[in-house]
Amino acid sequence: QVRLLESGGGSVQAGGSLRLSCAVSAGTERNNRMGWFRQALGKEREGVASIYGRGGGTAVYVDSVKGRFTISRDIAENKVYLQMDSLKPEDTAVYYCAAGFKAGGNVLDVRRYVYWGLGTQVTVSS
């Protein structure tokens, strides 16, 4: 069983930054694709960023966060991070870490991931 634990959420003003962390319990996910998703109140969960291997050119982002968010991972520590800069009120949501990617589809599709953390709240005020 893979367990994921997110941390780093909080409340910031617009323009501020936060860094989310996701600790992964199982070594089997160490080099597999992982993702960050978010769900705003009353909206569907959406993909934010995904990373495979050590990242670099394999990172994928939803258009709304490109240039502001950066996904990365520490293979040795089995952790995945989401650095969020220039935050906007519309970034307010619960952010989830996901693993257990099933190949063959959009890497930002919630249906492609099997394991999920409990989420961490991010609130951005104007």
Side-chain angles (χ1 to χ4, degrees), residues 11 16 40 43 57-58 60 63 67 82 86 90 104 114 117:
S11 297
K43 295 187 177 181
T58 66
V60 176
D63 285 347
L82 186 67
S86 302
E90 50 263 43
V114 175

Side-chain angles (χ1 to χ4, degrees), residues 36-47:
W36 282 99
F37 293 75
R38 66 185 179 187
Q39 187 166 17
L41 194 63
K43 295 187 177 181
E44 293 186 352
R45 192 171 298 188
E46 68 166 348

Side-chain angles (χ1 to χ4, degrees), residues 38 46-49 60-70 82-85 87-88 90-91 95 108:
R38 66 185 179 187
E46 68 166 348
V48 175
V60 176
Y61 301 92
V62 68
D63 285 347
S64 60
V65 308
K66 285 180 180 177
R68 301 188 299 120
F69 290 11
T70 303
L82 186 67
Q83 176 67 40
M84 306 185 295
D85 299 317
L87 282 161
K88 304 176 181 180
E90 50 263 43
D91 294 318
Y95 283 71
L108 294 181

